[in-house]
Amino acid sequence: MTSHLHELDVATKIALEAAALVSRYHGTNLKVDHKAGDEPVTEADRAANDLIVRRLRAAFPDDAILSEEMPDDGSRFHNRRVWMVDPIDGTRDFIRAENGFAVMIGLCIDGRPVVGVVSQPPTHLTYGAAVGESAWCQGPDGVRAPLRLSTLKAPPGIRLVASKSHRTGEIDAFRTALQITDEINVGGVGVKIGLVADGRRDLYVYPGGRTKLWDSCAPEAILVAAGGRLTDIFGTPLPYTDPELHNKNGLLASNGPLHDLVVQTLGTIRRATDPAT
Ligand code: IPD
Ligand code: CA
Ligand code: CA
């Protein structure tokens, strides 16, 4: 097996540098623009993008890069190795000077995430992983602890994390079906999946289609390396080589043992509300 610890090491250094850059903007009076789909973007998103892309190009000149704050130039279709970058995931939280945001850098090889780094400036937590090799969370003191998922196999007692900005009624039906009484809502996808990867939550469910490939790539590498699973809500692997950038069929991140039960439950809810599905 080829080792990707070098890629993890370089991506970690870049993410920490970008996290420090982003922190300098947090809580300041930011100029906010709006992109298609009413997605906010700030000067901090662009500055972090420039730094990350420059550093990745210098370290891995032969690799393709897909970043939220750059046009998709199609180079990803001609390269086995594609870095997927979200310079600030959770920009809404970032703008409101809240804490649910992160810098995310992932590497897909042959369409599967193999390296991921998610760095959260407000908490000084950085999650890093290379699938099959290493999965850790680094604290403010720089000490790394191995990621440990929860081991819950069935209800009751499921601890859910769900969207803050895009929560739908489907989550209520889902909670009822799985007897879930414990739900928290935080901003970015990376922060939510980090909570599953380090065992503080059992499950993240997002039935909508707003997230894109850079939202899931780094978190998926981290969760999978830790022993968990990330798929769409039908249990199908996410399509990283598709021209389509959206994860149209939602996201389901779990500790692993709960995954199949959750896929079945979501399917039952969908068939009950829309018998045509
Ligand atoms: C957003 C966040 C949010 C998700 C949106 C994403 P951004 O990312 O991850 O949680 O619901 O779909 O676009 O735009 O802040 O990078
Ligand atoms: Ca994002
Ligand atoms: Ca973003």
Side-chain angles (χ1 to χ4, degrees), residues 68 86 88-90 104 214-215:
E68 177 168 18
D86 191 341
I88 300 179
D89 176 49
M104 310 209 295
W214 48 73
D215 289 311

Side-chain angles (χ1 to χ4, degrees), residues 111-168:
R112 294 319 319 156
V114 294
V115 170
V117 181
V118 173
S119 188
Q120 302 174 11
T123 56
H124 300 283
L125 292 179
T126 298
Y127 296 77
V131 174
E133 298 187 272
S134 183
W136 42 258
C137 180
Q138 175 176 309
D141 52 5
V143 174
R144 291 179 180 176
L147 289 174
R148 299 254 181 272
L149 296 154
S150 82
T151 54
L152 190 71
K153 292 185 178 62
I158 294 176
R159 298 161 304 163
L160 175 70
V161 57
S163 177
K164 185 158 73 177
S165 312
H166 308 295
R167 192 185 181 285
T168 62

Side-chain angles (χ1 to χ4, degrees), residues 35 39-40 45 68 86 88-92 163 166 186-190 192 204 206 210-212 214-215:
K35 300 187 287 189
E39 293 285 348
D45 297 73
E68 177 168 18
D86 191 341
I88 300 179
D89 176 49
T91 296
R92 283 185 179 79
S163 177
H166 308 295
V186 296
V189 171
K192 288 186 276 261
Y204 161 47
Y206 173 61
R210 294 177 64 99
T211 74
K212 297 190 179 150
W214 48 73
D215 289 311

Side-chain angles (χ1 to χ4, degrees), residues 2 4 62-64 75-84 107-114 240-241:
T2 311
H4 299 106
D62 296 333
D63 293 356
S75 58
R76 63 193 178 103
F77 302 118
H78 311 290
N79 204 313
R80 291 180 57 208
R81 291 168 50 106
V82 184
W83 292 91
M84 297 195 178
L107 173 63
C108 257
I109 302 182
D110 295 329
R112 294 319 319 156
V114 294
Y240 289 98
T241 50

